[in-house]
Amino acid sequence: MTTMYTPDHEWINIEDHEAAIVGITHHAQDALGDVVFVELPEVGRSYKKGEVAGVVESVKAAADIFMPVTGEVVEVNEGLRDDPSLANSDPLGHGWFFKVHITEVGMAEFDQLMDPPGYDALLKTL
């Protein structure tokens, strides 16, 4: 299992060669406050790295969820749609947003994301 991070505070975890899981980080959910609504991407749709793939709304703000790598959405977390607070209570677990099949281009992009120490260094600058 390899987890990488974006500067926009998304995480992506490659579990196997079929799909990677995407969600928001502890920092993102903490900055947003209580999440009350999520707009998840359409299953079967392909996105390029950096495209808006969803929206998360809280009592304080709304934020776009950006696709961390190029790929096709193969599953969304319906449990998160039913209970958006999972993004707060378990952002790195049950609060995941979607799964994506990463293209060959996306795999190269994945290798350019921040590893955990790199993301921790970014957080220290905020």
Side-chain angles (χ1 to χ4, degrees):
M1 220 172 12
T2 304
T3 303
M4 302 290 268
Y5 300 88
T6 72
D8 297 310
H9 310 289
E10 290 93 16
W11 58 266
I12 181 168
N13 183 346
I14 295 181
E15 285 190 328
D16 55 42
H17 296 292
E18 294 302 312
I21 301 173
V22 177
I24 62 173
T25 65
H26 281 287
H27 175 82
Q29 68 81 26
D30 189 50
L32 284 166
D34 294 336
V35 175
V36 295
F37 175 78
V38 294
E39 180 182 317
L40 299 171
E42 179 183 339
V43 172
R45 180 166 173 209
S46 293
Y47 292 86
K48 291 183 180 175
K49 178 183 177 181
E51 284 189 302
V52 175
V55 176
V56 60
E57 293 182 13
S58 73
V59 294
K60 293 197 289 189
D64 291 330
I65 303 299
F66 298 99
M67 182 61 75
V69 296
T70 300
E72 177 187 340
V73 174
V74 294
E75 184 180 343
V76 296
N77 185 353
E78 293 297 342
L80 187 62
R81 198 184 312 263
D82 296 337
D83 183 6
S85 70
L86 288 172
N88 294 114
S89 62
D90 194 12
L92 302 178
H94 290 99
W96 60 276
F97 278 65
F98 55 90
K99 293 183 181 181
V100 60
H101 176 76
I102 303 174
T103 65
E104 191 172 316
V105 169
M107 286 305 296
E109 294 165 344
F110 180 84
D111 292 337
Q112 297 170 2
L113 297 173
M114 289 178 273
D115 61 9
Y119 185 68
D120 288 343
L122 172 71
L123 292 178
K124 290 178 184 171
T125 67
L126 303 178

